[in-house]
Amino acid sequence: MTDVLDLLSAEDVAMLKVKGYEFQADQVGGSVHLIIKNYPMTEHYTPQTVDLLLQLPANFPTIHPDMFWTYPEVRRQNGTYPDRADQFYDHAGRRWQRWSRHLSPGRWRPGTDNLQTYLGVIRRELKKGT
């Protein structure tokens, strides 16, 4: 098993630990798949906690991640799927729900932005409740 420090920066590992996240990282092809366990969702969705999957590209954080995935599947409080979150991806024996969210051009600042920045992007998307 690969040590997480071989896959993520020491800064990112420290941030995840400070925030109290339980996480694991695996090398999959040219990317790192980071799973944050028991990630809290906003009040707009059910269930209230999920496992969050991020696929970090080989040159992360120079290159930004794209999209994120949740397990188990998430629905709005009214029972419908969130916008652009009705596709699924099989990984590590589970069926992950893909949230098709993309950063606008110029929104990622290589050398400044990092995993904490990207988790902030995800949190803002979830707060929209769309």
Side-chain angles (χ1 to χ4, degrees):
M1 179 173 219
T2 305
D3 187 313
V4 72
L5 284 172
D6 292 335
L7 301 175
L8 300 172
S9 72
E11 174 187 43
D12 288 340
V13 170
M15 178 273 303
L16 290 166
K17 288 181 177 180
V18 164
K19 292 198 175 281
Y21 291 130
E22 182 182 346
F23 61 94
Q24 69 184 60
D26 296 300
Q27 186 81 40
V28 179
S31 65
V32 171
H33 286 199
L34 172 65
I35 297 173
I36 299 174
K37 298 178 181 185
N38 300 311
Y39 184 82
M41 297 297 286
T42 63
E43 69 277 3
H44 305 293
Y45 304 108
T46 188
Q48 287 296 292
T49 60
V50 297
D51 286 354
L52 177 69
L53 169 63
L54 306 178
Q55 294 182 9
L56 306 176
N59 292 327
F60 178 81
T62 303
I63 298 172
H64 66 81
D66 191 39
M67 301 188 282
F68 59 93
W69 293 259
T70 55
Y71 178 86
E73 79 178 43
V74 172
R75 303 272 184 148
R76 290 188 190 107
Q77 292 296 342
N78 68 7
T80 62
Y81 283 118
D83 292 340
R84 297 168 290 140
D86 60 351
Q87 300 297 308
F88 295 86
Y89 167 73
D90 291 324
H91 171 69
R94 296 196 275 175
R95 184 174 177 252
W96 295 83
Q97 182 178 7
R98 183 184 75 189
W99 295 65
S100 183
R101 305 295 192 270
H102 311 281
L103 292 174
S104 304
R107 189 145 170 234
W108 189 260
R109 301 162 300 171
T112 300
D113 291 329
N114 55 24
L115 183 56
Q116 185 168 350
T117 307
Y118 193 58
L119 288 173
V121 168
I122 292 169
R123 181 50 82 212
R124 284 188 296 279
E125 282 296 317
L126 294 174
K127 283 183 177 182
K128 292 177 185 177
T130 58

